[in-house]
Amino acid sequence: MYITRSCVVWNVGGTLLTDPSPEQLSALRAGLDYALVAPPRSKPDQWGEIHCPFPVTLTYDTETPNAAACLRDIELQCPCVGAPRQTTPLFADRAGRPYSHGFLASLLNGGLKSGQRARHDRSVLS
């Protein structure tokens, strides 16, 4: 199971959009508009009572890094309209396949190690 494009709902100008057009995504306003990301239900938690019962709100901003801006970029660079949003992975390789657990774990590990190095470097320099 993976997060699909249909797991993202956009609030643009006060309107909730499940299938936004490129024009709507290009009209996002920093600090006001946002993406709601709700992971799909899993077999052990079918009603969302244990793991993440509420969507995550990602407020759009023009400062980098910004998660909502990254999601907008995915939508603009690899458009997905209509019914395919139900099955198209939100995070996928160039062929449209969802990333493997191993690949995502290696990205997370790299980010965590980088953060540890940065924290160590700051403590040495201060």
Side-chain angles (χ1 to χ4, degrees):
M1 180 155 296
Y2 48 84
I3 295 176
T4 65
R5 297 285 184 95
S6 66
C7 294
V8 181
V9 175
W10 291 91
N11 182 314
V12 182
T15 302
L16 292 177
L17 305 168
T18 58
D19 195 357
S21 69
E23 294 78 20
Q24 290 167 319
L25 290 170
S26 297
L28 289 172
R29 300 165 303 160
L32 298 173
D33 296 326
Y34 54 89
L36 294 169
V37 182
R41 302 291 179 232
S42 62
K43 187 173 181 179
D45 186 23
Q46 296 175 21
W47 293 275
E49 297 171 339
I50 300 168
H51 306 289
C52 198
F54 305 106
V56 175
T57 301
L58 304 172
T59 304
Y60 173 75
D61 204 336
T62 54
E63 293 184 25
T64 57
N66 179 263
C70 292
L71 293 178
R72 180 216 46 203
D73 293 346
I74 290 171
E75 293 276 11
L76 292 174
Q77 292 170 13
C78 303
C80 180
V81 179
R85 294 183 70 78
Q86 297 292 323
T87 56
T88 301
L90 181 58
F91 305 109
D93 61 19
R94 291 188 185 269
R97 295 181 302 257
Y99 288 120
S100 70
H101 172 78
F103 178 77
L104 291 174
S106 69
L107 287 178
L108 177 60
N109 255 346
L112 291 173
K113 287 178 182 174
S114 174
Q116 288 172 342
R117 279 194 301 273
R119 211 171 26 256
H120 176 274
D121 292 347
R122 283 193 303 272
S123 68
V124 169
L125 295 173
S126 39

